[in-house]
Amino acid sequence: MQKILLLFLIGLFFYSCSSTKNRKVKTKYFDENYTEISKSEFERIRKTNRLLDIPGDSAHHKKLTLRERHGKINNRTLLESTLEKAINRELDSEKPLVIMYYPGKDPCNSSGNKSKNDSRINWRKVFEHAIYEVGQTKPIYIYKDHSGLQKGYDSIYHKDPNGIIERLFFKHHYPCSSFVVISKDGDFISYFGEHSSGYVITATKLMNK
């Protein structure tokens, strides 16, 4: 009788474990203020491209976030000196810091056709010239994870020193790449995810004050 009871309890235990594993946990969806919304509403807002979706506080939460953020850092001098050591280049404390941030390989930055190396180099020259025209500064290229960097860019990107850029501006993995422009006073504009060069140029112009 005791053996039968023991076998019954063991069977019940394994059934319970199996049932728990097979039970699908429902994903919950939230807007940028962490208010729960329906999946259809979440997808409708996301399609406007005004917001990105990021993981929430739980593995089964998906949250929307604004793509552009304005703020102010407390110690630009410290950030500047940290970057100077990482890129081995002196920075002008009176000019904006323009940081192009690559988070690592993802479906966004690894999909599509790869343009020729010469085209990428020519595009970068035009971009950097435009940045200098409005901000008298040169972009700083920073990566968190270099995997997936296209040929022609892997040599100009530098490792995020002590993760300082990620901590200050990019706490989530936003798809493709992001950027932040910081004024001499520490005010900044950051933009999350895929963007055109025009966004960076406009932000640089605004932060060159």
Side-chain angles (χ1 to χ4, degrees), residues 21-35:
K21 286 181 180 179
N22 293 330
R23 190 183 304 127
K24 189 175 180 180
V25 179
K26 184 180 178 181
T27 299
K28 292 185 177 182
Y29 299 88
F30 300 86
D31 65 13
E32 67 272 26
N33 299 312
Y34 227 109
T35 300

Side-chain angles (χ1 to χ4, degrees), residues 119-163:
S119 298
R120 290 195 293 268
I121 292 173
N122 290 335
W123 177 89
R124 180 161 55 87
K125 286 180 179 178
V126 171
F127 169 66
E128 291 182 354
H129 177 74
I131 293 296
Y132 191 84
E133 283 287 302
V134 298
Q136 294 76 56
T137 190
K138 182 179 178 181
I140 302 166
Y141 300 90
I142 297 292
Y143 70 80
K144 176 183 178 180
D145 179 357
H146 63 76
S147 63
L149 272 175
Q150 296 180 19
K151 187 177 179 182
Y153 284 92
D154 48 1
S155 62
I156 65 170
Y157 272 83
H158 304 271
K159 176 72 174 177
D160 186 1
N162 303 316

Side-chain angles (χ1 to χ4, degrees), residues 69 79 82-83 99-104 142-145 158-174 178 180 182 188 190 192:
R69 181 184 169 210
L79 174 61
T82 302
L83 287 171
I99 300 171
M100 311 302 295
Y101 183 77
Y102 178 81
I142 297 292
Y143 70 80
K144 176 183 178 180
D145 179 357
H158 304 271
K159 176 72 174 177
D160 186 1
N162 303 316
I164 190 170
I165 302 303
E166 180 184 18
R167 287 198 310 275
L168 287 174
F169 307 108
F170 308 114
K171 296 179 181 178
H172 299 280
H173 181 124
Y174 303 103
S178 301
V180 60
I182 308 150
F188 71 83
S190 59
F192 308 136

Side-chain angles (χ1 to χ4, degrees), residues 12-177:
L12 185 63
F13 171 77
F14 281 109
Y15 173 80
S16 176
C17 291
S18 175
S19 177
T20 301
K21 286 181 180 179
N22 293 330
R23 190 183 304 127
K24 189 175 180 180
V25 179
K26 184 180 178 181
T27 299
K28 292 185 177 182
Y29 299 88
F30 300 86
D31 65 13
E32 67 272 26
N33 299 312
Y34 227 109
T35 300
E36 187 171 0
I37 57 177
S38 67
K39 180 181 179 181
S40 59
E41 178 69 2
F42 182 93
E43 292 176 344
R44 184 192 67 78
I45 297 173
R46 180 64 185 89
K47 285 179 181 178
T48 66
N49 210 33
R50 293 189 304 103
L51 294 93
L52 287 175
D53 59 276
I54 58 175
D57 295 339
S58 165
H60 302 288
H61 287 187
K62 294 186 72 174
K63 176 182 177 295
L64 293 167
T65 185
L66 293 172
R67 301 195 70 172
E68 185 173 310
R69 181 184 169 210
H70 293 232
K72 187 180 183 73
I73 58 173
N74 296 322
N75 197 335
R76 170 173 155 150
T77 303
L78 175 61
L79 174 61
E80 193 176 303
S81 62
T82 302
L83 287 171
E84 285 179 334
K85 292 176 184 176
I87 67 176
N88 195 29
R89 170 161 65 91
E90 187 175 350
L91 300 170
D92 189 340
S93 60
E94 293 298 309
K95 299 301 178 184
L97 295 174
V98 180
I99 300 171
M100 311 302 295
Y101 183 77
Y102 178 81
K105 189 175 182 179
D106 60 39
C108 177
N109 58 37
S110 60
S111 63
N113 296 323
K114 305 296 184 183
S115 58
K116 293 182 179 179
N117 191 41
D118 288 346
S119 298
R120 290 195 293 268
I121 292 173
N122 290 335
W123 177 89
R124 180 161 55 87
K125 286 180 179 178
V126 171
F127 169 66
E128 291 182 354
H129 177 74
I131 293 296
Y132 191 84
E133 283 287 302
V134 298
Q136 294 76 56
T137 190
K138 182 179 178 181
I140 302 166
Y141 300 90
I142 297 292
Y143 70 80
K144 176 183 178 180
D145 179 357
H146 63 76
S147 63
L149 272 175
Q150 296 180 19
K151 187 177 179 182
Y153 284 92
D154 48 1
S155 62
I156 65 170
Y157 272 83
H158 304 271
K159 176 72 174 177
D160 186 1
N162 303 316
I164 190 170
I165 302 303
E166 180 184 18
R167 287 198 310 275
L168 287 174
F169 307 108
F170 308 114
K171 296 179 181 178
H172 299 280
H173 181 124
Y174 303 103
C176 281
S177 62

